[in-house]
Amino acid sequence: MFDVIIDNRSMNDAGLKVASRPLVLSPEKKYQTRTALNRDGALYRDMGTFEDGAVTPL
């Protein structure tokens, strides 16, 4: 069961129900990819930041 409390009052006590939980986006890290000679695979460097996420209203 999921409940929301606003101003010390439960939404269930007010007769309201939550229809669904909100969509929570997971951030994606920015990284730089480089290829190197004589290596199998790529090298990845963490840029220390995250990609911008777009939230669209329902």
Side-chain angles (χ1 to χ4, degrees):
M1 185 161 154
F2 184 72
D3 194 14
V4 177
I5 298 175
I6 299 176
D7 294 331
N8 293 327
R9 187 170 178 191
S10 169
M11 299 303 277
N12 285 335
D13 294 342
L16 302 172
K17 304 292 180 196
V18 176
S20 65
R21 291 179 182 248
L23 174 65
V24 178
L25 301 175
S26 298
E28 294 184 29
K29 288 192 116 180
K30 283 187 180 179
Y31 58 90
Q32 183 180 33
T33 306
R34 300 182 102 184
T35 56
L37 295 174
N38 301 326
R39 286 192 65 121
D40 184 23
L43 298 174
Y44 297 94
R45 178 179 173 213
D46 183 4
M47 302 304 289
T49 57
F50 293 90
E51 295 286 344
D52 291 333
V55 178
T56 56
L58 298 176

